[in-house]
Amino acid sequence: GDCIVAVGAFITRPLAPGERLARAAERLSIDRRQIDAWAAGQTPWSAEQLWRVAELALEQFRAAGQIARLETEVRSLSVNLATTYEEISLLHRLANNLKISQSDEQLGRIAVEWLGEVLPAAGFALQFLPVVRSDVKLDHQARNTAVLLTHGQCPLDQQQFDALIAHVKPALHGRPTVLNRSVTGHPGWPFPQVRQAIVVALVEGENLFGWLAAVNHRQDREFGTIEASLLSSVAAILGIHSGNIELYRQQSELLAGIVRALTSAIDAKDPYTCGHSDRVARISVRLAEELGCDAKMLNAIYLAGLLHDIGKIGIDDSVLRKPGRLSDEEYAHIKRHVEIGHRILRDLHKLEDVLPVVLHHHESWDGDGYPNKLSFHEIPLAARIVAVADSYDAMSSDRPYRAGMPEEKIDAIFRAGAGKQWDPEVVAAFFSARDDIRAIARGQ
Ligand SMILES: [Fe+2]
């Protein structure tokens, strides 16, 4: 850059006219008299004054150097700050999407798109590993093969990505693995299409959920710590989200296990009606679909169908297994199963949506049912639905002491009972979904 040079003349002893001054005047092309007059007017500097001037000059020089250094530092800090700001804003946006309802793949897609805006990589790859799942109906959708999401120009397909991970063996914990020319320029490097890459694991605790990679620098430069730390922050958030989903899945599985155990307890208690709970659950779901219920309601209805008669656990076997007509006293005893069931389940918070169905599935549309003689829309919809499914299965299935009713007779009973025993809208849903319901009852 520009350079300023200062020149000063310092007189340290009185000047007298002489040969040397005459030579100086000649060299500078100044008149001899003029330089003699100038020399006579000079006051010599003391050594202290000179020392002070030299010190001031040096100080000035040092300060200028300091300012230049600070300016460079400010420039690099503001670049870092901008990067940090982008990083924080990206992480903030990701954190806002950490809902359990958001699938890992949905969040992952958002993450790689955003990374594409702030990280100078040509392409990104995000792989989710398959999740080990049991075949539980209540579970979320299972993923049984690995999924590779890519963004930008990612030169790797699923198989090549697997091979890259197997070759590089990135660490599961700690720093991300940065692959620059020192690695990829090696003659034995098996992925010529990968010139630079950062690879980081998606982990939460001991669980490995997948891998996130940035592949090839857009300007063909080396990836540095800023890029690596951004990628590993994003991977950390994705790992936490996957961990949460896994925890939720385990809870659902536990709940499903509890429900299965309870359902088999009912079946063991009342072998005559074997499979009844399962059929009622499936028929109820079909009716609820016909009535336009949402996914959450369908899930609750399914559980409610399985558990609606759980209170039969508390009913005497002699009454429960008695073929033929029950005495008034026995009937009153059997009616108690709705309240017993309610008591059994009421402390399981995860099953709170099921409780109204357990308690009210024997209420009647006209208010003539039990236990609370509720009528019309006072009866929860799920209970009105399960009531129709329960009645259908009871009428259609064979019992040791009687055969199942013919379909025409069941239809006639429903037509007559719509608006009396049953909600007419649910009965209408029964008729529109009748073929499916008959197939469920036949065990198809
Ligand atoms: Fe019941």
Side-chain angles (χ1 to χ4, degrees), residues 308-309 337 361-362 390:
H308 71 283
D309 268 347
H337 80 276
H361 71 276
H362 286 291
D390 189 20

Side-chain angles (χ1 to χ4, degrees), residues 329-347:
E329 206 179 45
E330 288 165 337
Y331 188 51
H333 178 60
I334 270 211
K335 279 173 159 183
R336 290 190 51 228
H337 80 276
V338 295
E339 278 148 322
I340 295 170
H342 189 265
R343 228 177 299 138
I344 290 172
L345 297 184
R346 77 181 156 198
D347 292 328

Side-chain angles (χ1 to χ4, degrees), residues 324-433:
R325 273 200 100 71
L326 299 173
S327 70
D328 287 352
E329 206 179 45
E330 288 165 337
Y331 188 51
H333 178 60
I334 270 211
K335 279 173 159 183
R336 290 190 51 228
H337 80 276
V338 295
E339 278 148 322
I340 295 170
H342 189 265
R343 228 177 299 138
I344 290 172
L345 297 184
R346 77 181 156 198
D347 292 328
L348 286 167
H349 291 295
K350 280 245 168 192
L351 292 176
E352 60 190 4
D353 293 343
V354 167
L355 285 180
V357 177
V358 172
L359 191 60
H360 296 300
H361 71 276
H362 286 291
E363 302 284 3
S364 177
W365 183 248
D366 58 13
D368 215 18
Y370 65 90
N372 297 129
K373 291 196 175 296
L374 301 183
S375 55
F376 309 121
H377 292 96
E378 285 173 351
I379 310 166
L381 174 62
R384 283 179 264 143
I385 291 173
V386 170
V388 169
D390 189 20
S391 303
Y392 176 79
D393 192 69
M395 290 190 276
S396 69
S397 53
D398 296 327
R399 296 288 156 90
Y401 47 90
R402 61 148 177 83
M405 281 183 198
E407 296 290 354
E408 302 72 42
K409 193 173 172 191
I410 297 174
D411 288 355
I413 291 173
F414 271 134
R415 265 188 214 103
K420 293 194 181 97
Q421 185 175 349
W422 299 289
D423 177 349
E425 280 183 50
V426 181
V427 174
F430 167 79
F431 281 110
S432 32

Side-chain angles (χ1 to χ4, degrees), residues 1 8 27 31 48 67 112 127 130 152 166 243 252 295 313 346 354 368 423:
R27 198 170 296 163
D31 182 61
E48 291 76 35
I67 286 169
V112 287
Q127 185 184 49
S252 305
I313 288 173
R346 77 181 156 198
V354 167
D368 215 18
D423 177 349

Side-chain angles (χ1 to χ4, degrees), residues 155-169 179 181 183-197 215-216:
L156 299 165
D157 63 18
Q158 177 86 44
Q159 227 178 340
Q160 292 163 324
F161 191 82
D162 285 342
L164 177 79
I165 297 294
H167 182 81
V168 174
K169 297 186 187 65
L179 308 166
R181 282 293 192 197
V183 178
T184 62
H186 198 268
W189 176 246
F191 309 97
Q193 72 274 45
V194 178
R195 294 183 306 276
Q196 303 90 11
V215 186
N216 292 338

